Amino acid sequence: MTEPAEHRPAPPGENSATTPGGVRCSDAERAETESALHVAVGEGRLTMAEVEDRIARVYAARYRHDLAAITADLPSAPDAVAGWRPIVSAAGRQVLTDLLALLGRDRTVSVRRRLTVALVTLATVLVAVLLVVLALHGIGGDGFEHHELGRE
């Protein structure tokens, strides 16, 4: 009975100690490489025939350098920026765009969009005012006791 290629022991003379860059690749690394190939075909960098051939080579690969060779002619994916910075930046751009739309400075924004932004802004301001009034008036466990409501 034969084992799958990725589970067979390396032929004599081909082990991780003697193979350049001979660190074995994991299933997760294979999946990551396959994902990069799918992105490349989606961008039009590879044909379907090329990606099928390369995916077959991905799952036949044993070492990391084999995986690197499969995607060597493709651009590397840009590193994702971690943290809150991209989220805050995107939110800031959206607020600026909405503010310009609300003020009528952005002529590319439709009237419906301006109306929506105005209504959302109005609702946000009303909720903020309501919270401030409730906080100043006294939200607490006392309920309506200080208003003498419900007493006979």
Side-chain angles (χ1 to χ4, degrees), residues 123-139:
T124 303
V125 168
L126 287 176
V127 167
V129 167
L130 178 66
L131 289 174
V132 169
V133 167
L134 287 174
L136 292 176
H137 188 63
I139 303 173

Side-chain angles (χ1 to χ4, degrees), residues 92-107:
R93 284 191 305 270
Q94 185 63 47
V95 166
L96 181 62
T97 302
D98 290 344
L99 184 62
L100 290 175
L102 187 61
L103 296 175
R105 304 267 168 93
D106 188 357
R107 300 290 179 209

